[in-house]
Amino acid sequence: MAPPTNKKTKSSSSGSVNLKRVKGENFYRDAKAASRLKMLNGGKAVRDKDGKIIEAAVFQKGEDETKPGRVQPDRRWFGNTRVISQTALDHFRTSLSAKKDDPYSVLLKRNKLPMALLDDALNPHTRKRPHIVETEPFGDTFGPKAQRKRPRIEVGSFEELSKSASTLLTEAEESASKPGGGGTIEPLASDLVDVPTHADYHEPIYAKGTSRRIYGELYKVIDSSDVILHILDARDPLGTLCQSVLDYIKKEKSHKQVVLVLNKCDLVPNWVTARYIQHLTPKYPTIAFHASPNNSFGKGTLIQLLRQFAQLHSDKKQISVGFMGYPNVGKSSVINTLKSGKVCTVAPVPGETKVWKYITLTRRIYLIDCPGIVPTSAHDNETATVLKGVVRVEALPTPSDHIATLMDRVKPIYLSRTYNIPLPNPDDPSEAWAPEDLLDKLARQKGRLLKHGEPDREAISKIILSDWVRGRIPFFVTPPERPEELNAAEAKKRKIAEAKGKGKAKELPVVKQNLKTIMQKNVFVPEDIQPLEEDPEEGDEDAGVEAGSGSEDAEGSEVDEDEEDLQWGDVFEGISVENEGPSESGEDNEDEEDDDEEEAAGGDEDDADVSDEENVQKEARMKTNKKKAENFYSKANVKNKNRSKAALLRSLPTGKRTERKKR
């Protein structure tokens, strides 16, 4: 007889379910199943073995089963601490109503303030009510002797009104049918239907930057940003201003700060940049900027400003800075300049950025790149859209249609310099060519010809528009003149402040920048150049850069500030500069107008003193970065790390060993 086995039959093992337990997961049921069971079991009463209800079902308990509610005893229920007086409420409204819309004031913790009280539309005390009593007496308006005004109609019922209308219509038809009656009846405006013509058709390419997808990207950037940088083109700042978007931010996102950045300042004279900054500063903080990997301007000032915003929002771990503006104004180039590297794809054509992109500037500041948008407030025609750089030139169907408007905006002398063609009238530089003549000359000069020697005007038009977009043709929109009324009002305020003994009147906090240091790319004629209005208290931008050079942490050291200029003694040690005389001789030969220029030029100092001062090396710049740990390999000559000592050893005389090798 075989020994009994311990194997279980299939039927006996089917009762035990073998499930694999997973760590961190409920083995029996999930939350959805548990909530369903509670719903099914919660509506029944609990009974004993005799069927008597021990505990009633939910929502069916009597008054004797429920516990009485009890108010927590507190003194504040009987005091006046939760009530605000009307005078305090008026003081809150008057003090914060001006600060709410001030672009230079930041209201912190707005969600804890009753901001709805500052809205005049929601304030019941400021709503406009119909003041009938002011126009008519009370007795004639209300009461038993009220006199209700009725419209003067010569009919007494709707039937009479319809009959009078039909008689007037028959009279008009009879007068029109007569030979001297003036012809047919004039049709109603609603019956007129305009026949679509070729002029009403717009190419789809001119709608770039207005699609729903682009605006979706814009609103994602606005919602995710704490600070918004609106990039403008310095050649036409008012034309590239997205006014409808700014109005939306002011109305719906008033807690976000907006800063205007005038990019491409190297393409316009300095006085134009200064005048536009003066014009835009009362509305929003405005900064001049030149995006460049090597010779940038305004980088230190902008980083310093962003760090101040990060300190204001100290309750957040980091802040996000969103960029917005027209296509081809340089949003991605500004980000690359701030990062001192290529983190965004850039191109001198519009539409290079397709979607939004997050970039880390420091540990506390993040940048958000946005594709270019064309606002709804810009009611531009096709030519204005092309000249603003919204459309890619190579995709234009008829580029020659826009050359005439371009020539009206640009002076002929600039076109003559750019393309090296003579003016039509050398005696009158303001006289321009006809658009067809200019295109023919440039086509023959550049060899753009069709069959039978005909000039290719479309190809030359694309070349001119491409040079226009890239800034090779000097051009700028003249800034608006400062109105005399505003100057008079500011002078009056200044006099009142001086009379009261307050000294200086309160002025707007302007960002100080030394606009003289901007390297100009284009050369302008003397009539387009004006002296820059100097401010005696204008600070130097380099000082601001040095102040903001120390990063907040190790990751902040990625943002390199403007490097110090190398001196002669830093590179060529031990070599005097006595023979380098152009600067000194030039300073000695120039006529010095006042004592300040003499001190700046240093013409009274000896040559030896000058050479001694220039040979002195600058001290190392203090940094606030964390001190890195040192070990053997940090100072050892591994992979040519210690190149200075190796160069010194090579320069020393080698002695007899070299002589033996030579023998």
Side-chain angles (χ1 to χ4, degrees):
M1 184 174 179
T5 58
N6 295 330
K7 293 182 180 180
K8 294 183 179 180
T9 60
K10 186 176 181 181
S11 60
S12 63
S13 64
S14 61
S16 60
V17 181
N18 186 14
L19 296 176
K20 185 179 181 181
R21 296 172 179 264
V22 181
K23 185 178 180 181
E25 186 176 328
N26 194 351
F27 175 68
Y28 292 101
R29 62 177 68 94
D30 54 358
K32 187 175 181 180
S35 62
R36 184 173 179 274
L37 287 175
K38 287 181 180 178
M39 179 187 69
L40 296 175
N41 298 331
K44 297 179 181 180
V46 180
R47 301 175 182 268
D48 58 0
K49 62 179 181 177
D50 299 330
K52 293 182 180 180
I53 296 177
I54 301 175
E55 185 179 355
V58 185
F59 304 117
Q60 292 185 1
K61 295 182 179 180
E63 294 182 358
D64 55 342
E65 298 176 355
T66 57
K67 295 180 180 179
R70 185 168 175 270
V71 179
Q72 179 184 0
D74 199 338
R75 269 182 181 273
R76 290 177 293 179
W77 293 113
F78 308 99
N80 199 24
T81 56
R82 292 177 182 252
V83 179
I84 186 172
S85 63
Q86 188 65 32
T87 57
L89 185 60
D90 293 340
H91 176 68
F92 170 76
R93 281 178 176 152
T94 54
S95 59
L96 284 185
S97 60
K99 299 292 183 182
K100 179 173 68 76
D101 298 327
D102 186 11
Y104 293 92
S105 299
V106 180
L107 296 179
L108 302 177
K109 299 180 180 179
R110 297 171 67 106
N111 54 352
K112 295 186 178 181
L113 293 175
M115 302 302 295
L117 297 176
L118 302 178
D119 194 355
D120 294 336
L122 301 177
N123 188 4
H125 300 285
T126 58
R127 290 178 184 171
K128 292 184 179 181
R129 300 175 181 176
H131 300 285
I132 304 175
V133 184
E134 296 179 0
T135 57
E136 297 182 4
F138 184 84
D140 297 342
T141 308
F142 303 100
K145 296 182 180 181
Q147 298 177 2
R148 305 295 295 173
K149 288 187 175 181
R150 292 182 179 180
R152 294 181 180 180
I153 301 177
E154 297 179 355
V155 295
S157 62
F158 287 103
E159 291 79 3
E160 296 179 2
L161 182 62
S162 61
K163 289 179 182 179
S164 63
S166 61
T167 53
L168 291 175
L169 181 59
T170 54
E171 291 177 0
E173 291 177 353
E174 291 176 358
S175 62
S177 61
K178 293 179 181 180
T184 59
I185 305 174
E186 184 179 356
L188 297 176
S190 59
D191 297 337
L192 295 176
V193 179
D194 294 335
V195 179
T197 60
H198 178 72
D200 298 331
Y201 176 74
H202 295 281
E203 293 284 345
I205 192 173
Y206 296 110
K208 292 293 183 182
T210 59
S211 63
R212 186 174 297 178
R213 185 192 71 83
I214 294 292
Y215 268 84
E217 300 290 326
L218 170 67
Y219 288 125
K220 283 194 291 186
V221 171
I222 292 177
D223 293 340
S224 306
S225 303
D226 300 303
V227 182
I228 298 173
L229 298 184
H230 189 356
I231 312 298
L232 304 176
D233 194 337
R235 295 174 291 179
D236 187 11
L238 301 181
T240 54
L241 189 70
C242 304
Q243 190 60 45
S244 59
V245 181
L246 293 178
D247 295 341
Y248 166 78
I249 295 173
K250 188 175 182 180
K251 182 180 179 181
E252 303 293 338
K253 311 286 183 182
S254 57
H255 58 282
K256 300 181 185 294
Q257 287 78 41
V258 179
V259 179
L260 304 182
V261 179
L262 287 179
N263 193 21
K264 303 182 182 180
C265 290
D266 58 321
L267 301 180
V268 298
N270 294 338
W271 70 271
V272 176
T273 306
R275 189 77 63 81
Y276 272 119
I277 291 176
Q278 188 181 21
H279 177 73
L280 296 172
T281 293
K283 300 177 183 178
Y284 296 99
T286 309
I287 293 178
F289 199 88
H290 168 40
S292 173
N294 301 322
N295 301 318
S296 62
F297 177 82
K299 174 182 173 182
T301 305
L302 187 55
I303 293 177
Q304 195 83 344
L305 184 63
L306 296 181
R307 283 177 175 165
Q308 292 180 11
F309 280 119
Q311 291 178 357
L312 283 176
H313 298 278
S314 57
D315 55 334
K316 300 181 180 180
K317 289 186 178 181
Q318 64 273 338
I319 65 169
S320 299
V321 182
F323 287 72
M324 75 170 198
Y326 265 77
N328 201 34
V329 294
K331 298 180 289 297
S332 301
S333 301
V334 173
I335 293 177
N336 289 343
T337 303
L338 294 178
K339 282 288 293 181
S340 299
K342 186 177 180 181
V343 293
C344 296
T345 56
V346 294
V349 292
E352 185 66 22
T353 305
K354 303 294 189 302
V355 294
W356 69 329
K357 183 179 180 182
Y358 255 91
I359 297 99
T360 304
L361 182 63
T362 63
R363 193 176 63 179
R364 293 206 59 198
I365 302 175
Y366 288 86
L367 308 178
I368 310 177
D369 195 8
C370 177
I373 59 112
V374 178
T376 56
S377 58
H379 303 290
D380 297 330
N381 53 11
E382 296 179 354
T383 302
T385 303
V386 171
L387 296 183
K388 283 184 180 181
V390 176
V391 185
R392 295 203 176 191
V393 176
E394 60 270 14
L396 289 175
T398 54
S400 58
D401 297 344
H402 315 294
I403 298 299
T405 308
L406 185 147
M407 294 179 64
D408 294 339
R409 297 189 182 187
V410 183
K411 294 183 177 180
I413 184 65
Y414 294 142
L415 292 173
S416 175
R417 288 179 180 178
T418 304
Y419 298 107
N420 195 18
I421 55 176
L423 290 170
N425 187 4
D427 299 333
D428 187 9
S430 61
E431 184 179 348
W433 306 268
E436 295 79 7
D437 297 342
L438 177 64
L439 294 178
D440 293 349
K441 287 186 178 181
L442 287 178
R444 299 188 183 282
Q445 179 184 359
K446 296 181 179 294
R448 297 299 182 108
L449 302 176
L450 299 173
K451 290 183 179 180
H452 309 293
E454 292 294 329
D456 190 356
R457 294 181 179 177
E458 301 298 330
I460 290 297
S461 300
K462 289 183 179 180
I463 292 175
I464 297 176
L465 291 174
S466 178
D467 293 341
W468 166 274
V469 171
R470 296 166 189 257
R472 295 170 183 167
I473 301 176
F475 159 76
F476 63 89
V477 177
T478 306
E481 294 291 338
R482 193 172 176 84
E484 295 296 334
E485 294 81 4
L486 184 59
N487 294 334
E490 290 183 355
K492 187 176 180 180
K493 288 182 181 179
R494 198 178 298 110
K495 288 182 181 179
I496 293 174
E498 292 176 357
K500 289 183 178 179
K502 294 183 180 179
K504 266 192 171 183
K506 188 178 180 181
E507 298 179 356
L508 288 175
V510 183
V511 180
K512 301 293 183 181
Q513 290 181 288
N514 187 10
L515 300 179
K516 293 181 179 178
T517 59
I518 301 178
M519 298 181 63
Q520 298 297 327
K521 182 179 178 181
N522 295 327
V523 180
F524 294 90
V525 294
E527 59 184 13
D528 287 342
I529 299 175
Q530 296 183 12
L532 187 64
E533 298 177 1
E534 296 183 1
D535 190 358
E537 298 180 359
E538 185 177 1
D540 191 4
E541 189 201 6
D542 297 337
V545 172
E546 292 181 4
S549 60
S551 58
E552 298 170 353
D553 43 36
E555 292 183 22
S557 62
E558 297 175 0
V559 183
D560 298 331
E561 305 295 337
D562 298 333
E563 298 179 357
E564 296 179 357
D565 297 334
L566 290 176
Q567 301 295 330
W568 181 272
D570 296 341
V571 182
F572 304 99
E573 298 181 2
I575 303 177
S576 62
V577 291
E578 295 177 356
N579 297 330
E580 294 291 324
S583 62
E584 295 178 6
S585 62
E587 290 171 356
D588 294 335
N589 294 333
E590 289 181 353
D591 297 332
E592 299 171 348
E593 297 178 359
D594 48 22
D595 297 338
D596 296 339
E597 293 183 5
E598 291 178 6
E599 294 176 4
D604 296 335
E605 296 177 355
D606 296 335
D607 295 340
D609 296 340
V610 173
S611 62
D612 293 340
E613 289 180 3
E614 292 187 353
N615 287 332
V616 177
Q617 294 185 0
K618 285 188 176 182
E619 296 181 357
R621 201 161 152 194
M622 186 180 68
K623 297 183 178 179
T624 59
N625 298 339
K626 296 179 182 178
K627 188 176 181 181
K628 297 181 179 179
E630 295 182 356
N631 52 16
F632 170 76
Y633 292 100
S634 60
K635 292 185 178 181
N637 190 12
V638 180
K639 291 184 179 180
N640 289 334
K641 284 187 176 180
N642 205 347
R643 295 180 180 179
S644 59
K645 290 185 179 180
L648 181 61
L649 291 174
R650 285 196 300 269
S651 63
L652 295 176
T654 55
K656 298 180 180 180
R657 291 183 180 180
T658 55
E659 296 177 359
R660 292 175 183 174
K661 290 180 181 179
K662 290 179 181 179
R663 290 175 185 175

